[in-house]
C-alpha cells in the first residue's frame, strides 16, 4: 500500500527536467520500487504509471532503461499502458537502445498483457517501425506474435510473414505453406519494398512528405503539391494521364522526359520494327489502342515525343502504307521542323516511294498529314519566334542551329515537295476531285502563311495543280482556286509597300495565272495565244467542240453548266430551246452564281477585276514588279 | 480593399517571355535528342547491318586473366548466355550492390508467394541473391563497370558446409561502347546495354521485372544478325595464328521442303589460308609503305574482306554440293573460341578474345537503343 501511494505520487511530484544525478529523492524512490518489483512484482496500476513515467522521459533518458528493467508484472499488464507506451515510442525522443529494450520488454511480458485487441488495432502503427533497422527483428517478432494468436489463417498475413522470414528467419518458426491463394492485399506487399529502397538512398530524405504523382487526380491538387511531387518508378505509366503530362511539360526534368522517351521508343520499336513480318498483325487491336493513346497525348501536349520521331524515320522506310495508316500519318504530322539539310533524306525520300505506289486514299491521307505538319510548324513559329530573329540554339551535341532563315528554308522545301507530289499525283489519279480537294486545302494554308502566321512566304501553286483545279469538273474546286488567287493577290499587295523581296519570277507567274483565269472564266478567251495552254489549231478543231474558246467560261464550264441551265430556265421559263449563248458572263448571272455560295469567285472578282469594265470585258489586275 | 493572395492575379505580365523560353527549351529537349541520335546512329533506309561499323580492329589477345577475378571469369567463359539489350538504367549505383541483392531476393520471395512459376525442386526454397562488380573487363573510361548477378538457391534446412551453386546467373555490361552516345546521356543514367542470362526462364523474367521496376529500363531480345555472325567468324578466324580455332563450323538452314539443315565444318588451316588470301588480295601489291603503315593496315578488318571470306566459303560449298548457301540463313557459328547463334545465344570459350566479342555485341545492343 505504502509503495502504491508512493508511486502514485511520484510522477505528480516530479516535474519535467528535474535533474537525476544527485537527486536523492528520486534515487530512494527508485530503489524502493525496484525492491518491490523484484520480490513480488508490480501491480497493473503500478506498471501503468511506471511505464508512462519511463516512456514519457519525464526525467530525461537516463532513468528510462532502469525503470523498464524493473517492470516485472505481478499479475497482468494493462493493454492501454502498452499502447500509450507505443505512442511515446512514436514521438521519437527515446534513444535506440532504450527503444529496443522496450520492445524486448513487451515481447517478454506478451503473454501477460490482458487483452490484445487494442494492440492489433494499432498493428499498422507498430508495423511502421519495421523500417528502423535496429528495431526490425523485434518488431517482426512482435507482429508475428500478434497475428499468430489470431483465429484462422489470414492469407495476407501469412504472405507478410513469409517476407519476414526472409529477413529474420531465426525468429519466425512458423512453417508457411507454399501455395497461398493470391490476394489483392499482396499488392500492398510490394509497397514494403520501396520502404527498403528509401533506406538505401544516399540523398537525405526531405522532411516534407512527398506526394506520388499517381495519387493526384485534379489540377487543383497538382498545383497544391507542385513542389513535392514524386515521379513514379516507371515513367511509361504516365502516358495516358493528362495531369502528369502537364506537370512534366512544366517542370522540364530532362531525366524524366528521357525515361519516358526510352520506354516509348522501346515500345514502338518492339511492336513495329523488331517484330518480324508476322508480329505486327497479331496484336493489331492493342497496337491501335496504343497509337491512339500516343496520338491523343501528343495532341494534348501540342508537341511530339522525340522517340516517336526517331521511330517514324525508321518506320517510313519499311512501312507498306496501309498498316494503321491514320495513326502513323497522325504521328507524322507531329514531327518538329526538320533542318533542310536532312529533310530530303529523312522524310521526302521514303514518302515519295510510298506516295507513288499507293492508293488514292493514301495519297489523300498524306496530303492531309503534310498540311497538318505545315500548320503545326507555322503555329510553332508564330508562338516561339521572338521578335524577328528566331534562334533555337540547340544542345552542343548536335551542330544544328535553326534560325529564321533556316526555318523558312525547311518550310519552302516542304511546300515545294508537296507541289511536286501533288502535280504527279493528280496525273496518276486522273485529277480525282477528292485528291484535288486535299491539295487545295494545303494551298489554302500556304497562301495564308503571312496573313495568319506572320511568315512571309510566297509560293504559288504549280501548274500541275493550277490547271487541274481550273478545269475541274466540280465547281467547289474552281471556287477554291479563285479564293486562293484572291488571297495571293491580297498578300502580294500587302507585301509590296513593305518592300519584301519577291522575285520577278513570282510576279510573272502570278500575273500569268490571273490573266489565264480571267480570260478563261470571264472573257471566254481560252486557248488563245498567250494563254499558257496552247494546243495546236488542228487539235482543237479535231475535238469538234464548237467555239472552243468559250468552252471553259462560267457558262460553258462543265462544272458550272448546270447553274447556267438553271439560270436560263429561270430567265426564260417559256423557251423550249436551250440557248446558253443568250447568257452573258456578267451582271445577273454572276450575282446568281455568287448567291449559290461561291464566295471564292466573288472575292476574286471583286478584288481583281476592275469594276469599270465589269460589264464589257473584264481585265484582271496585274501586279507590276517594282 | 481586400488584397488577393491568389497567385493567378499576381502573375507578372513580363513573365510571358520567360515562359516562352522554357517552352522552347522543352521543344529543344525533345528536338535535340532525336536528330542527334539520328545522326549518331547513322540512319539508313534499310534496317540492315550497314549500321554496324564497317571496319574494326583485329582482335588482339587481351590478358584479362590478370585483371579479372578468376572465379568470375570462369563463370563467364564456360556458360552459354542468352542475350538481351537494355535501355539505360536510371539511378543505378554501383555502390549499392548489397542493397540491390537484398531487394531482389525479397522481390523474388514475394513473387514466389504470389504463385509465379519458378522451377525449383522442393517447396521450401528461398533464394539468396548476390550482386557483384566484375572489375577489369572495361578498357575505356566511358564504359560503366560490368555487374554480375547470381542467384543461389537456399534449401530451408541447409547445412553450413553445403556449397551453394548458383541456379541462375546474369550480367550487364558495356564494352567499348560508342563514346558519343554514352556521353550524351545525362548523369543520372548508367548505360549497360548488353545483358546475358543463364538459368531458369522464370528467374530471368523475375530479374528483368525487378530491374524494370527499380531503374525504369526496358529489356528486349537481341539477335545476332547475319552480318554480326560473319564478323565473328572472321574475327575468330583471324586469331588462328595466335590461338588455334581448331575448326570453323557453320550451321545453315536452307528453305527446302522440308527445311534442310546443313552443318558445314571447315578445317582450321584451310579457313586460315582462305582468310589470308582474302586479306592479301585486299591490300593489292602496294607494299612500299613503312613498317608502321603496314601494321596499321593489318590491324583493321574491313566489311568487304568479311564478305569475301564468306563468299569464298559459300562458293567452295557450291562447287562440291551444288547448293547455294546464300539462299538460306546462317543460324550458328562456332570455333574453339566460342559459338554464336542467330537466336541470341553466345558462348565465349576463351577469355583471351572475350573483349573483342563483347565489343561487337555491345555495338549490336547499342544499335537497338530507341533513341
Amino acid at each position: 500500500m505504502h509503495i502504491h501511494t508512493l508511486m502514485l505520487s511520484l510522477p505528480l511530484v516530479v516535474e519535467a527536467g528535474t535533474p537525476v544525478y544527485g537527486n536523492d529523492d528520486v534515487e530512494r524512490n527508485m530503489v524502493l520500487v525496484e525492491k518491490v518489483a523484484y520480490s513480488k512484482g508490480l501491480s497493473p496500476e503500478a506498471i501503468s504509471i511506471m511505464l508512462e513515467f519511463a516512456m514519457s522521459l519525464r526525467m530525461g533518458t537516463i532513468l528510462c532503461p532502469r525503470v523498464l528493467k524493473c517492470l516485472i508484472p505481478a499479475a497482468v499488464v494493462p493493454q492501454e499502458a502498452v499502447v500509450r507506451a507505443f505512442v511515446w515510442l512514436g514521438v521519437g525522443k527515446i534513444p535506440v537502445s532504450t527503444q529496443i529494450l522496450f520492445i524486448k520488454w513487451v515481447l517478454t511480458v506478451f503473454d501477460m498483457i490482458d487483452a490484445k485487441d487494442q494492440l492489433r488495432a494499432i498493428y499498422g502503427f507498430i508495423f511502421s517501425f519495421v523500417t528502423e533497422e535496429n528495431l526490425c527483428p523485434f518488431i517482426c517478432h512482435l507482429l508475428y506474435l500478434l497475428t499468430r494468436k489470431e483465429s484462422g489463417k489470414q492469407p495476407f498475413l501469412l504472405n507478410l510473414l513469409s517476407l519476414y522470414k526472409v529477413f529474420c528467419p531465426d525468429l519466425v518458426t512458423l512453417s508457411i505453406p507454399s501455395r497461398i491463394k493470391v490476394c489483392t492485399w499482396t499488392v500492398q506487399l510490394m509497397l514494403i519494398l520501396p520502404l527498403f529502397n528509401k533506406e538505401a538512398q544516399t540523398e537525405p530524405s526531405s522532411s516534407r512528405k512527398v506526394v506520388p504523382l499517381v495519387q493526384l487526380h485534379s489540377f487543383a491538387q497538382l498545383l497544391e503539391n507542385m513542389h513535392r511531387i514524386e515521379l513514379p518508378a516507371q515513367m511509361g505509366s504516365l502516358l495516358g494521364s493528362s495531369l502528369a503530362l502537364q506537370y512534366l511539360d512544366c517542370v522540364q526534368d530532362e531525366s524524366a522526359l528521357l525515361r519516358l522517351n526510352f520506354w516509348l521508343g522501346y515500345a514502338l520499336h518492339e511492336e513495329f520494327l523488331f517484330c518480324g513480318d508476322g508480329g505486327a498483325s497479331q496484336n493489331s487491336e492493342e497496337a491501335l489502342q496504343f497509337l491512339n493513346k500516343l496520338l491523343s497525348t501528343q495532341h494534348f501536349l501540342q508537341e511530339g515525343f522525340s522517340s516517336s520521331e526517331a521511330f517514324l524515320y525508321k518506320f517510313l522506310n519499311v512501312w507498306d502504307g496501309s498498316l494503321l495508316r491514320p495513326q502513323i500519318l497522325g504521328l507524322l504530322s507531329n514531327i518538329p521542323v526538320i533542318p533542310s539539310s536532312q529533310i530530303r533524306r529523312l522524310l521526302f525520300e521514303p514518302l515519295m516511294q510510298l506516295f507513288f505506289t499507293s492508293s488514292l486514299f493514301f495519297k489523300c491521307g498524306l496530303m492531309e498529314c503534310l498540311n497538318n505538319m505545315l500548320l503545326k510548324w507555322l503555329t510553332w513559329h508564330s508562338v516561339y519566334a521572338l521578335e524577328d530573329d528566331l534562334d533555337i540554339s540547340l544542345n552542343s551535341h548536335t551542330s544544328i542551329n535553326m534560325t529564321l532563315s533556316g526555318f523558312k528554308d525547311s518550310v519552302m522545301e516542304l511546300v515545294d515537295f508537296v507541289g511536286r507530289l501533288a502535280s504527279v499525283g493528280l496525273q496518276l489519279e486522273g485529277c480525282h476531285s477528292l485528291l484535288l480537294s486535299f491539295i487545295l486545302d494545303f494551298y489554302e494554308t500556304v497562301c495564308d502563311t503571312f496573313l495568319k502566321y506572320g511568315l512571309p512566304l510566297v509560293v504559288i501553286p504549280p501548274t500541275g495543280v493550277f490547271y487541274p483545279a481550273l478545269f475541274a469538273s466540280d465547281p467547289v474546286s474552281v471556287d477554291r482556286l479563285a479564293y486562293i488567287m484572291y488571297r495571293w493577290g491580297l498578300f502580294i499587295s500587302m507585301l509590296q509597300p513593305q518592300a519584301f523581296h519577291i522575285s520577278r519570277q513570282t510576279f510573272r507567274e502570278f500575273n500569268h495565272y490571273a490573266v489565264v483565269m480571267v480570260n478563261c472564266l470571264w472573257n471566254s478567251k481560252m486557248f488563245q495565244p498567250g494563254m499558257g495552254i496552247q494546243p495546236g489549231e488542228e487539235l482543237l478543231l479535231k475535238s469538234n467542240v464548237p467555239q472552243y474558246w468559250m468552252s471553259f467560261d462560267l457558262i460553258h464550264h462543265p462544272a458550272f453548266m448546270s447553274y447556267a441551265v438553271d439560270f436560263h430556265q429561270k430567265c426564260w421559263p417559256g423557251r423550249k430551246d436551250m440557248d446558253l449563248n443568250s447568257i452573258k458572263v456578267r451582271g445577273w448571272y454572276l450575282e446568281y452564281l455568287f448567291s449559290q455560295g461561291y464566295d471564292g469567285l466573288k472575292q476574286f472578282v471583286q478584288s481583281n477585276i476592275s469594276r469599270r469594265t465589269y460589264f464589257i470585258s473584264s481585265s484582271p489586275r496585274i501586279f507590276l514588279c517594282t | 480593399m481586400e488584397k488577393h493572395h491568389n497567385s493567378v492575379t499576381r502573375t507578372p505580365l513580363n513573365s510571358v517571355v520567360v515562359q516562352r523560353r522554357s517552352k522552347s527549351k522543352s521543344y529543344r529537349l525533345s528536338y535535340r535528342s532525336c536528330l542527334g541520335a539520328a545522326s549518331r546512329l547513322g540512319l539508313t533506309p534499310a534496317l540492315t547491318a550497314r549500321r554496324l561499323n564497317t571496319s574494326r580492329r583485329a582482335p588482339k589477345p587481351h590478358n584479362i586473366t590478370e585483371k579479372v577475378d578468376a572465379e568470375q571469369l570462369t563463370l563467364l567463359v564456360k556458360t552459354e548466355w542468352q542475350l538481351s539489350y537494355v535501355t539505360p538504367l536510371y539511378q543505378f549505383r554501383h555502390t549499392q550492390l548489397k542493397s540491390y541483392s537484398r531487394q531482389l531476393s525479397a522481390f523474388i520471395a514475394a513473387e514466389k508467394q504470389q504463385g509465379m512459376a519458378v522451377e525449383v525442386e522442393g517447396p521450401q526454397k528461398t533464394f539468396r541473391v548476390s550482386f557483384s562488380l566484375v572489375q577489369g573487363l572495361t578498357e575505356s573510361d566511358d564504359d560503366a563497370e560490368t555487374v554480375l548477378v547470381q542467384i543461389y538457391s537456399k534449401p530451408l534446412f541447409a547445412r553450413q558446409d553445403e556449397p551453394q551453386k548458383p541456379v541462375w546467373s546474369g550480367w550487364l555490361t558495356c564494352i567499348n561502347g560508342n563514346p558519343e552516345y554514352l556521353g550524351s546521356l545525362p548523369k543520372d543514367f548508367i548505360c549497360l546495354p548488353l545483358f546475358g542470362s543463364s538459368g531458369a526462364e522464370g528467374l530471368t523474367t523475375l530479374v528483368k521485372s525487378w530491374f524494370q521496376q527499380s531503374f525504369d529500363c526496358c529489356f528486349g531480345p537481341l539477335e545476332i544478325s547475319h552480318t554480326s555472325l560473319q564478323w565473328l567468324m572472321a574475327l575468330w578466324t583471324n586469331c588462328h595464328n595466335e590461338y588455334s580455332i581448331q575448326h570453323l563450323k557453320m550451321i545453315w538452314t536452307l528453305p527446302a521442303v522440308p527445311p534442310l539443315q546443313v552443318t558445314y565444318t571447315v578445317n582450321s588451316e584451310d579457313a586460315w589460308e582462305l582468310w589470308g588470301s582474302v586479306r592479301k588480295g585486299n591490300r593489292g601489291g602496294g607494299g612500299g609503305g613503312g613498317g608502321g603503315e603496314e601494321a596499321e593496315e593489318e590491324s583493321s578488318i574491313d566489311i568487304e574482306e568479311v564478305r569475301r571470306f564468306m563468299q569464298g566459303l559459300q562458293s567452295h560449298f557450291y562447287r562440291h554440293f551444288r547448293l547455294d548457301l546464300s539462299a538460306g540463313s546462317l543460324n550458328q557459328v562456332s570455333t574453339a573460341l566460342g559459338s554464336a547463334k542467330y537466336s541470341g545465344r553466345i558462348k565465349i570459350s576463351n577469355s583471351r578474345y572475350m573483349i573483342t566479342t563483347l565489343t561487337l555485341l555491345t555495338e549490336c545492343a547499342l544499335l537497338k537503343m530507341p533513341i
Side-chain angles (χ1 to χ4, degrees):
Chain A
M1 275 304 173
H2 176 61
I3 302 297
H4 192 194
T5 48
L6 181 72
M7 282 191 304
L8 276 173
S9 64
L10 212 85
L12 296 171
V13 165
V14 172
E15 280 166 17
T18 311
V20 176
Y21 291 120
N23 189 331
D24 293 332
D25 277 330
V26 172
E27 186 58 32
R28 258 203 312 268
N29 291 329
M30 273 306 301
V31 167
L32 209 55
V33 167
E34 275 166 344
K35 199 161 143 207
V36 172
Y38 291 133
S39 54
K40 283 191 291 204
L42 299 172
S43 68
E45 299 86 347
I47 300 262
S48 254
I49 295 168
M50 293 312 290
L51 188 56
E52 179 77 8
F53 175 69
M55 295 298 282
S56 62
L57 298 180
R58 196 72 73 91
M59 285 192 77
T61 57
I62 302 173
L63 269 186
C64 183
R66 195 172 157 188
V67 171
L68 284 175
K69 282 184 187 147
C70 72
L71 281 178
I72 298 163
V76 293
V77 173
Q79 184 184 206
E80 301 80 19
V82 179
V83 172
R84 267 207 311 280
F86 265 104
V87 174
W88 284 114
L89 192 70
V91 169
K93 295 215 181 93
I94 304 172
V96 177
S97 51
T98 315
Q99 289 182 22
I100 295 177
L101 188 61
F102 166 69
I103 306 287
K104 277 186 175 168
W105 175 79
V106 173
L107 287 171
T108 313
V109 303
F110 189 81
D111 288 331
M112 301 173 85
I113 303 178
D114 53 5
K116 313 286 192 303
D117 55 307
Q118 282 186 21
L119 279 174
R120 288 201 196 100
I122 58 163
Y123 190 98
F125 180 73
I126 300 175
F127 182 75
S128 68
F129 290 106
V130 162
T131 54
E132 306 289 328
E133 213 171 331
N134 298 310
L135 286 183
C136 181
F138 307 103
I139 295 285
C140 287
H141 193 178
L142 177 60
L143 292 169
Y144 158 71
L145 289 172
L146 276 175
T147 52
R148 190 174 187 201
K149 307 292 187 200
E150 194 109 6
S151 60
K153 290 204 183 97
Q154 297 192 346
F156 53 88
L157 292 169
L158 288 170
N159 283 340
L160 189 60
L161 286 169
S162 73
L163 177 65
Y164 293 155
K165 222 175 144 173
V166 172
F167 286 95
C168 331
D170 42 289
L171 292 177
V172 182
T173 55
L174 190 69
S175 84
I176 311 206
S178 57
R179 262 176 296 282
I180 297 177
K181 275 200 280 288
V182 174
C183 177
T184 52
W185 201 83
T186 50
V187 168
Q188 293 196 30
L189 204 65
M190 294 303 124
L191 295 177
I192 300 173
L193 297 172
L195 290 177
F196 289 108
N197 275 344
K198 276 213 167 56
E199 227 184 311
Q201 269 170 16
T202 50
E203 298 133 53
S205 55
S206 86
S207 54
R208 285 186 304 214
K209 187 159 136 29
V210 168
V211 176
L213 188 54
V214 292
Q215 284 180 10
L216 300 174
H217 299 295
S218 76
F219 196 66
Q221 279 180 344
L222 179 68
L223 288 177
E224 264 175 64
N225 294 300
M226 196 65 139
H227 51 290
R228 52 180 183 190
I229 287 189
E230 181 189 43
L231 292 170
Q234 289 175 286
M235 293 298 292
S237 57
L238 295 182
L239 199 64
S241 156
S242 58
L243 204 62
L245 294 167
Q246 277 174 324
Y247 172 71
L248 280 180
D249 205 33
C250 177
V251 157
Q252 294 305 312
D253 181 350
E254 192 185 351
S255 297
L257 283 170
L258 193 55
R259 282 162 66 190
L260 186 54
N261 272 301
F262 272 131
W263 175 81
L264 182 61
Y266 160 82
L268 286 168
H269 279 69
E270 282 295 327
E271 180 63 40
F272 299 107
L273 281 175
F274 297 153
C275 58
D277 291 320
S281 49
Q282 281 161 17
N283 295 319
S284 52
E285 184 55 41
E286 285 174 22
L288 183 70
Q289 297 298 337
F290 174 60
L291 286 184
N292 279 335
K293 196 196 243 194
L294 178 58
L295 267 175
S296 63
T297 303
Q298 290 189 344
H299 179 72
F300 175 77
L301 287 174
Q302 309 236 338
E303 183 171 33
F305 289 103
S306 59
S307 52
S308 132
E309 189 190 343
F311 160 74
L312 281 170
Y313 295 142
K314 295 180 201 170
F315 188 64
L316 283 179
N317 293 297
V318 297
W319 189 33
D320 63 353
S322 70
L323 175 71
L324 298 167
R325 184 196 310 138
Q327 284 72 26
I328 299 291
L329 289 177
L331 287 176
L332 194 59
S333 69
N334 280 320
I335 285 185
V337 184
I338 311 172
S340 52
S341 55
Q342 309 212 8
I343 197 169
R344 260 167 225 265
R345 178 176 64 93
L346 289 177
L347 194 65
F348 294 166
E349 275 162 31
L351 284 182
M352 263 198 290
Q353 283 188 19
L354 282 166
F355 187 79
F356 294 126
T357 54
S358 64
S359 67
L360 172 72
F361 299 107
F362 179 84
K363 292 187 172 78
C364 294
L366 185 61
M367 280 294 146
E368 188 188 19
C369 164
L370 294 173
N371 187 20
N372 286 335
M373 191 190 287
L374 179 64
L375 275 169
K376 283 175 195 179
W377 289 9
L378 291 171
T379 310
W380 174 84
H381 165 266
S382 68
V383 169
Y384 293 126
L386 300 170
E387 294 171 354
D388 30 28
D389 207 32
L390 171 70
D391 178 26
I392 335 163
S393 24
L394 298 173
N395 194 291
S396 59
H397 285 291
T398 65
S399 52
I400 305 165
N401 246 326
M402 183 153 297
T403 59
L404 178 63
S405 64
F407 173 71
K408 268 179 87 172
D409 283 342
S410 297
V411 173
M412 283 297 299
E413 290 269 359
L414 179 64
V415 176
D416 200 48
F417 174 65
V418 172
R420 292 200 312 271
L421 280 187
S423 305
V424 183
L426 282 172
Q427 284 181 24
L428 286 175
E429 299 290 342
C431 301
H432 198 285
S433 48
L434 186 62
L435 181 58
L436 187 59
S437 157
F438 279 101
I439 293 171
L440 289 173
D441 278 339
F442 183 81
Y443 281 100
E444 275 176 28
T445 307
V446 174
C447 71
D448 277 340
T449 54
F450 181 68
L451 296 164
K452 279 191 192 160
Y453 299 101
L455 185 71
L457 206 65
V458 185
V459 184
I460 318 280
T463 51
V465 172
F466 179 83
Y467 286 104
L470 186 60
F471 301 140
S473 55
D474 66 296
V476 177
S477 299
V478 185
D479 184 60
R480 290 177 78 182
L481 183 66
Y483 174 77
I484 290 171
M485 291 297 292
Y486 151 69
R487 296 297 281 182
W488 275 121
L490 203 62
F491 173 41
I492 291 176
S493 66
M494 281 176 71
L495 277 189
Q496 274 199 303
Q498 295 188 38
F500 265 113
H501 173 74
I502 306 176
S503 68
R504 267 178 197 280
Q505 175 73 10
T506 308
F507 272 113
R508 247 206 305 274
E509 276 173 19
F510 180 78
N511 289 337
H512 182 71
Y513 281 162
V515 165
V516 166
M517 198 149 173
V518 171
N519 279 332
C520 171
L521 294 174
W522 276 268
N523 294 339
S524 314
K525 283 189 193 162
M526 199 57 229
F527 302 127
Q528 308 231 314
M531 286 301 112
I533 298 187
Q534 268 185 267
E537 189 82 30
E538 324 79 56
L539 204 61
L540 287 168
L541 290 172
K542 226 182 183 180
S543 69
N544 278 332
V545 175
Q547 295 171 314
Y548 55 79
W549 52 89
M550 294 201 314
S551 53
F552 280 101
D553 65 21
L554 282 173
I555 299 163
H556 301 94
H557 195 298
F560 293 103
M561 196 182 278
S562 57
Y563 292 102
V565 166
D566 218 22
F567 185 74
H568 185 280
Q569 281 183 328
K570 287 200 164 79
C571 282
W572 300 284
R575 257 204 221 170
K576 294 268 171 50
D577 298 320
M578 180 79 50
D579 180 21
L580 290 180
N581 287 337
S582 33
I583 311 172
K584 299 288 175 251
V585 184
R586 64 175 84 103
W588 293 119
Y589 177 61
L590 282 182
E591 291 297 325
Y592 171 68
L593 266 190
F594 298 160
S595 72
Q596 298 298 308
Y598 293 109
D599 292 331
L601 284 172
K602 182 167 156 187
Q603 283 166 322
F604 181 73
V605 165
Q606 285 170 353
S607 68
N608 277 19
I609 300 179
S610 48
R611 288 215 123 240
R612 200 163 42 83
T613 52
Y614 194 78
F615 288 95
I616 305 166
S617 109
S618 316
S619 51
R621 183 157 73 135
I622 297 185
F623 292 93
L624 295 172
C625 181
T626 49
Chain B
M1 189 65 119
E2 196 185 3
K3 234 192 174 153
H4 285 282
H5 291 288
N6 192 344
S7 61
V8 173
T9 56
R10 279 194 299 163
T11 306
L13 285 169
N14 61 5
S15 75
V16 167
V17 169
V18 173
Q19 279 165 12
R20 264 195 186 164
R21 282 212 201 94
S22 73
K23 191 79 166 96
S24 73
K25 183 177 169 239
S26 92
Y27 191 84
R28 254 189 294 141
L29 273 182
S30 59
Y31 190 54
R32 70 106 180 153
S33 51
C34 167
L35 271 188
S39 58
R40 272 196 301 277
L41 296 179
L43 272 179
T44 52
L47 291 173
T48 62
R50 272 201 326 204
R51 292 155 68 197
L52 270 182
N53 276 344
T54 50
S55 84
R56 49 187 82 244
R57 282 209 321 266
K60 291 192 186 51
H62 296 91
N63 215 346
I64 60 174
T65 48
E66 290 171 7
K67 293 192 275 177
V68 182
D69 174 61
E71 214 179 290
Q72 289 173 335
L73 204 58
T74 321
L75 176 68
L76 287 173
V77 158
K78 291 307 172 203
T79 322
E80 188 182 42
W81 304 99
Q82 176 70 51
L83 296 174
S84 307
Y85 71 90
V86 194
T87 57
L89 305 164
Y90 179 65
Q91 287 189 341
F92 178 88
R93 311 243 190 276
H94 285 90
T95 49
Q96 306 243 6
L97 296 184
K98 266 206 161 31
S99 163
Y100 296 153
S101 312
R102 273 191 288 133
Q103 288 173 36
L104 182 53
S105 51
F107 180 78
I108 293 177
E111 290 286 325
K112 229 184 87 167
Q113 292 302 343
Q114 264 196 17
M116 282 284 298
V118 177
E119 308 96 47
V120 276
E121 327 83 52
Q124 308 274 13
K125 282 220 177 209
T126 51
F127 295 101
R128 178 173 79 83
V129 175
S130 129
F131 276 67
S132 47
L133 273 183
V134 181
Q135 284 171 322
L137 271 185
T138 57
E139 298 177 320
S140 94
D141 288 329
D142 297 316
D143 294 336
E145 291 283 0
T146 303
V147 176
L148 179 64
V149 182
Q150 287 174 284
I151 303 182
Y152 301 88
S153 108
K154 238 170 53 162
L156 198 56
F157 302 106
R159 292 198 306 274
Q160 284 298 84
D161 51 354
E162 252 180 60
Q164 282 188 335
K165 267 179 59 180
V167 295
W168 186 93
S169 317
W171 43 263
L172 286 157
T173 189
C174 180
I175 307 285
N176 292 323
N178 184 318
E180 264 182 50
Y181 183 78
L182 295 177
S184 75
L185 294 170
K187 295 284 169 271
D188 284 347
F189 289 88
I190 299 278
C191 187
L192 289 165
L194 191 62
F195 172 73
S197 63
S198 152
E201 189 56 41
L203 280 172
T204 308
T205 316
L206 282 179
V207 171
K208 286 182 181 174
S209 303
W210 180 79
F211 270 97
Q212 283 172 338
Q213 283 180 21
S214 310
F215 307 110
D216 205 4
C217 58
C218 304
F219 284 79
L222 182 66
E223 311 88 31
I224 306 180
S225 67
H226 182 78
T227 307
S228 305
L229 287 172
Q230 286 184 29
W231 268 112
L232 283 173
M233 257 170 49
L235 291 171
W236 284 336
T237 308
N238 194 64
C239 303
H240 180 68
N241 62 338
E242 282 160 8
Y243 182 92
S244 165
I245 61 172
Q246 285 168 25
H247 58 258
L248 172 63
K249 182 167 96 161
M250 294 164 273
I251 300 183
W252 295 79
T253 309
L254 291 173
V257 174
L260 185 64
Q261 182 171 294
V262 173
T263 306
Y264 179 12
T265 309
V266 179
N267 186 313
S268 57
E269 288 305 322
D270 296 334
W272 173 247
E273 242 184 78
L274 178 62
W275 177 244
S277 71
V278 165
R279 295 276 279 163
K280 263 204 270 296
N282 195 46
R283 277 197 299 287
E293 217 177 86
E294 245 179 51
E296 180 85 20
E297 279 177 18
E298 269 183 39
S299 76
S300 119
I301 302 176
D302 202 62
I303 182 84
E304 279 312 311
E305 293 170 307
V306 174
R307 293 225 175 95
R308 272 208 296 278
F309 181 57
M310 179 56 97
Q311 272 167 5
L313 289 168
Q314 286 175 346
S315 59
H316 177 79
F317 192 85
Y318 184 78
R319 218 176 301 125
H320 287 272
F321 297 102
R322 291 280 174 244
L323 275 178
D324 187 3
L325 289 173
S326 62
S329 56
L330 178 59
N331 286 346
Q332 184 178 335
V333 169
S334 63
T335 64
L337 287 176
S339 77
K341 293 184 190 157
Y342 181 81
S343 58
R345 298 190 81 86
I346 184 91
K347 181 169 172 195
I348 302 171
S349 311
N350 188 296
S351 63
R352 297 176 87 204
Y353 297 99
M354 185 188 278
I355 300 292
T356 318
T357 312
L358 288 178
T359 305
L360 176 67
L361 294 173
T362 303
E363 220 180 287
C364 292
L366 278 176
L367 282 175
K368 285 208 143 185
M369 292 295 118
I371 52 165

